[in-house]
Amino acid sequence: MRKSVPLVPRESDRLGTIQGHRDGFGFVVPDDAGEDIFLSEREMSRVMHGDRVKVRVMGTDRRGRPEGQIVEVITHVNRLVIGRLLNENGVLIVAPEDKRIGHDILIPPKGQLNAKLGQVVSVEIIDYPDSYRQAVGRVVEVLGEIDDPGMEIEIAVRKYGVPHEFSAATMKEAAALPDGVTQADLEGRVDLRDVPLVTIDGADARDFDDAVYCEPTMFGKVKAWRLIVAIADVSHYVKPGNALDEEGLLRATSVYFPRRVIPMLPEKISNGLCSLNPGVDRLCMVCDSVIDVHGEILAYQFYPAVMHSAQRFTYDAVWEVISNSNGPDAARFAQFRPLLSNLYGLFKILLSAREKRGALDFETTETQIISNELGKILRIEPRTRNDAHRLIEECMLTANVCAADFLQKNKHLGLYRVHAEPSEEKIMTLRQVLRTASLSLGGNEKPQPKDFAKLIKEIKPRPDATMLQTVVLRSMQQAVYQPENVGHFGLSYPAYAHFTSPIRRYPDLLVHRAIKAILQKKPYYPSLPERVPLNLTLPRKGQARTNASEAKKSQSASKAAGPQKGKGAAASGALAVWGQLGVHCSSNERRADEASRDVEAWLKCYYMRDHLGQEYAGTITGVASFGLFIQLENLFVEGMVHVTELGGDYYQYDEARQELRGERTGMRHRLGDRLHVLVSRVDLDARKIEFSLVKSVISERDGVRSRTLVLASDTGKPNKKAASKKSRPSSKAPKKSAGINVNAAKTAGKQGAKQSKSAKASRGKSAAIRAPGKPAGSKPPVRKGKR
């Protein structure tokens, strides 16, 4: 092999982060938020997913993308890698669970700890790969067998770098906190213990961070409603600069898996001191608002308080009381019926105001996984939502709007929850799809939320409503946290902030601190602890990518300037710090979502192994050039039909119509179409389920009619131009040999990346499986505000 000549660094070289792909190639995501730079498989042999590098653009690839060559590896990010221990031709390797890491890791003699073949292990990298050498590591933790209960979660938290163990300093600080509210805690707080505040949550909820109360009132001569939203006062216990605060910042959010939650804060706080459990005193921050009969917020104020939850309700119980006044639940909770009726009356007003405002309301089917005692799926059910869910949502929205307005009016920096308007490119694509369905989107070049709300209302009665709603939803940007307010497009709010969940979201905790600082008439400047690495990962596109790029620049500038002390320095760099915090919280939110989806995908694949060879009706939920994404109607599981499984034709992808159309037959497969498919393959490693399209053939013999299933791929020869199906190569099971070839292990590191590739190819399909009342007492003064 011809040796590549090292590049001499230049000023034009760009810094970026490696984004690996399971097929061996990758990209550099540049810090300047420019276009991603393609890296060939050969270039990727030197680096791993997540590494920081300097790259030089050398030209363009055959698809017109900028192609680069790595000049220098700045930082190797992957110190620990999770994977399975395998024996390849007498050599021990660990195959990473994260398929974006395209390197098998060589395990030298005596480096396997006490791990057995096939077990899931955590490996510490000793030597990183380059163009001619394989990565080498040693096993530092044995997690267990791949089928062990909860193993999929253990893998996910390590795969995505989710902090899952609290530090000793954090636990010590949490243990030192009192078990309840002390007399000293009550100083300067409004006493709301005589107000029958109630919590309304899901049946399986363990932490209760919000409570509500509503009563009719008069605002001057205007009839109105008084809404009290009390939120657990986490900021009273989690102080800036302490170990608890650093741990909360590091995590930034709680992560929710089926049957398990990895909390942002220790249980002493999340399920104890800051959980608004019934029958105990709790400290809270209150948004006390007055709302007229048109849903307009006439006035609001924030204040610290102490409360005593009168009742813990579930959504279903509240809905039973509201919907059936003669039912058993209505009799059981008779003393709370006036309160719940008041809340429901206000909800209907807020709902009407929401519709007039033009907030988007997508009808989506949420599902819940029902698991057995081992954590494996028994069934997947649609999650039923009733007006009790939406009632609490509207109360929380009101409090969040008031929080954002409070920050703005007092000109105090904070984190807003921003949802930018759709990009021009997305709007153009959406209009093309709508045109094919004889629909249009108003608003000309700048459609407003009302225009989208009107469109959704027109879509709902149509038979293709699901398909069209999906297209509209995909045109939206992702919501992010940032200090610059540009409004919330989806909710149609000029300003919106998260205030209602400080137990599980760090941005809410920051908003609480900012509000308290305003009440105390002094500014709040957040700091960035040196021990907490910020997650400033650049996403693929949208406002979040620009924010992350700016955050990286400000971080580099602050490091170059060195440490600065004093309030003046804190004030001058405050905007940059808030910006970095916003990107960090947004990135960790995405990370939590990815980890949760990964676990759900694994569980669904494991579940579908028992359904191989079975036929189901499904709906097309996504269309791509390489195939169709299908969701099974009864199982609520999604898989893919590859384009080569569609039969003897060449299919053209039409992005505007969201369809695959056969050139010869004219056969069309569109978003929202129903198909019959066969579960043909399950790949646990790749978290993929593959379907084959089936057709029914009715035959009659001796007066007896019979139905036969035929695979679409068997009904004709594929067109020569049809894309080849990308599947993993044939597998061979790990060898359970009596011993390990020590000599082979010693020399394997010299065999280079070439052996790594061949080992991976021989492993291939190892996981692929085939088969055929009371008033609120004296009211505190209400600050009149104009929104």
Side-chain angles (χ1 to χ4, degrees), residues 400-444:
N400 288 338
V401 168
C402 291
D405 188 72
F406 193 58
L407 291 176
Q408 270 200 316
K409 276 188 167 53
N410 289 278
K411 298 179 180 179
H412 195 290
L413 286 173
L415 285 186
Y416 295 93
R417 182 64 168 178
V418 165
H419 184 223
E421 61 187 23
S423 65
E424 293 182 9
E425 182 185 355
K426 291 284 188 180
I427 294 293
M428 190 180 301
T429 303
L430 175 60
R431 291 190 192 278
Q432 290 175 347
V433 178
L434 294 175
R435 197 175 296 119
T436 64
S438 302
L439 288 168
S440 63
L441 174 65
N444 300 319

Side-chain angles (χ1 to χ4, degrees), residues 5 134 165 172 301 353 358 422 456 481 510 566 582 675 747 775:
V5 180
Q134 191 170 353
E165 293 179 346
K172 182 179 179 181
Q301 67 172 341
I456 293 170
Y481 295 105
L510 291 172
L675 299 171
T747 58

Side-chain angles (χ1 to χ4, degrees), residues 413 526 564 568-578 580:
L413 286 173
Q564 298 181 22
S572 63
L575 183 60
V577 170
W578 280 106
Q580 292 176 45

Side-chain angles (χ1 to χ4, degrees), residues 183-211:
Q183 190 63 35
D185 294 330
L186 304 181
E187 186 179 352
R189 293 183 178 269
V190 176
D191 193 342
L192 295 182
R193 286 176 289 189
D194 64 333
V195 180
L197 286 148
V198 299
T199 62
I200 305 175
D201 296 275
D204 56 350
R206 294 178 61 193
D207 54 343
F208 315 118
D209 52 7
D210 56 79

